[in-house]
């Protein structure tokens, strides 16, 4: 079992729809959870971080964390073609060392 | 504001040749520094991390090494490259504690 697993994808949604990205992790003592966006050929950039159970909203993005279920998700509302990218889930336990999932590729069709 | 510089952007090297990738961070002191590698279509694999000058932890045994000669400089090296060393190499920094990573632009290495 991988330490961090994401929807294998690819995921395709129409413009304006909600995109839902899911991630599960195996290490119960993980403290911090991050979503990064990576455009093709570019380096990842942080879009959301979440540290406690519940929802965290930032603009069109909402991260959800359920530590009991070891599950973290990212919702993108009103999806835009510019949201088309690979989304990486990362889980950190200590000293900032993050373990990454393989990513889910999202395509938003105009 | 903090910035991270990584070079070169692309590199094509023959098998058996040496490697040196460099990364520097500006605008912060005593950052945690990391080298990650990403294979095509995959997630990021942590190679090395450092919490201070001369302090290097290796996550994956291999023919690569890392050094941190100055507080904000991190170097990835190899004496002899293998074909399997090809990939996208990313340097990153973070603050103290369990905080997000901030990545450089990456180096795409092709070993031929």
């Amino acid at each position: 079992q991988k330490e961090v697993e994401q929807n294998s994808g690819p995921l395709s949604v129409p413009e304006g729809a909600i995109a839902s990205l899911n991630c599960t992790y195996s290490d119960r003592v993980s403290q911090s959870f991050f979503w990064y966006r990576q455009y093709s050929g570019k380096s990842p950039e942080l879009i959301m971080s979440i540290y406690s159970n519940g929802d965290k909203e930032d603009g069109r993005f909402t991260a959800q964390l359920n530590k009991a279920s070891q599950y973290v998700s990212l919702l993108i509302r009103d999806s835009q073609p510019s949201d088309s990218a690979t989304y990486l889930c990362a889980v950190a336990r200590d000293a900032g060392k993050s373990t990454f999932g393989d990513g889910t590729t999202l395509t938003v069709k105009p | 504001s903090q910035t991270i510089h990584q070079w070169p952007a692309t590199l094509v090297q023959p098998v058996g040749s040496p490697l040196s990738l460099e990364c520097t961070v500006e605008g912060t002191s005593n950052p945690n520094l990391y080298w990650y590698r990403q294979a095509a279509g995959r997630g990021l694999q942590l190679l090395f991390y450092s919490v201070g000058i001369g302090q290097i932890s290796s996550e994956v045994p291999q023919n690569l090494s890392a050094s941190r000669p100055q507080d904000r400089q991190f170097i990835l090296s190899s004496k002899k490259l293998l074909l399997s060393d090809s990939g996208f190499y990313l340097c990153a920094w973070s603050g103290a504690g369990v905080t997000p990573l901030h990545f450089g632009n990456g180096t795409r290495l092709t070993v031929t």
Side-chain angles (χ1 to χ4, degrees):
Chain A
Q1 180 189 7
K2 291 183 179 179
E3 292 185 56
V4 180
E5 297 206 48
Q6 299 185 237
N7 306 60
S8 59
L11 176 65
S12 180
V13 301
E15 184 174 356
I18 296 175
S20 177
L21 304 163
N22 303 315
C23 174
T24 58
Y25 60 95
S26 60
D27 187 348
R28 287 191 168 275
V29 298
S30 298
Q31 297 182 45
S32 303
F33 308 86
F34 309 103
W35 284 99
Y36 294 84
R37 178 176 61 200
Q38 186 176 25
Y39 292 114
S40 181
K42 303 296 184 182
S43 60
E45 56 179 333
L46 178 74
I47 53 172
M48 288 289 284
S49 57
I50 187 166
Y51 302 97
S52 56
N53 281 328
D55 295 358
K56 179 181 178 182
E57 186 174 322
D58 183 1
R60 295 185 296 111
F61 298 96
T62 298
Q64 300 173 317
L65 174 61
N66 184 326
K67 290 187 178 181
S69 299
Q70 296 175 244
Y71 174 88
V72 59
S73 67
L74 179 71
L75 298 177
I76 307 174
R77 292 182 300 281
D78 188 24
S79 295
Q80 301 296 309
S82 58
D83 295 326
S84 298
T86 297
Y87 289 81
L88 299 168
C89 172
V91 175
R93 178 178 179 177
D94 53 26
K97 293 186 294 177
S98 291
T99 300
F100 285 80
D102 285 345
T104 299
T105 298
L106 170 66
T107 301
V108 181
K109 295 186 175 180
Chain B
S1 64
Q2 303 90 356
T3 56
I4 178 169
H5 304 280
Q6 185 181 345
W7 66 93
T10 59
L11 193 58
V12 180
Q13 292 284 95
V15 168
S17 63
L19 173 74
S20 180
L21 302 180
E22 191 166 339
C23 169
T24 59
V25 180
E26 297 178 356
T28 186
S29 297
N30 197 31
N32 293 333
L33 296 173
Y34 310 83
W35 281 110
Y36 281 86
R37 178 171 62 197
Q38 185 176 35
R42 302 298 302 274
L44 279 64
Q45 178 188 37
L46 178 62
L47 302 176
F48 300 95
Y49 75 95
S50 171
V51 298
I53 295 174
Q55 301 177 61
I56 309 294
S57 295
S58 173
E59 293 293 306
V60 181
Q62 58 209 325
N63 67 320
L64 299 173
S65 62
S67 62
R68 184 171 178 172
Q70 301 181 45
D71 180 46
R72 290 171 288 178
Q73 183 184 27
F74 206 22
I75 298 171
L76 182 69
S77 303
S78 174
K79 292 183 179 178
K80 289 186 177 182
L81 284 168
L82 306 172
L83 286 175
S84 57
D85 291 324
S86 294
F88 191 39
Y89 287 80
L90 291 154
C91 181
W93 74 271
S94 73
V98 191
T99 53
L101 297 169
H102 305 276
F103 290 92
N105 289 334
T107 296
R108 193 162 303 280
L109 171 67
T110 303
V111 182
T112 61

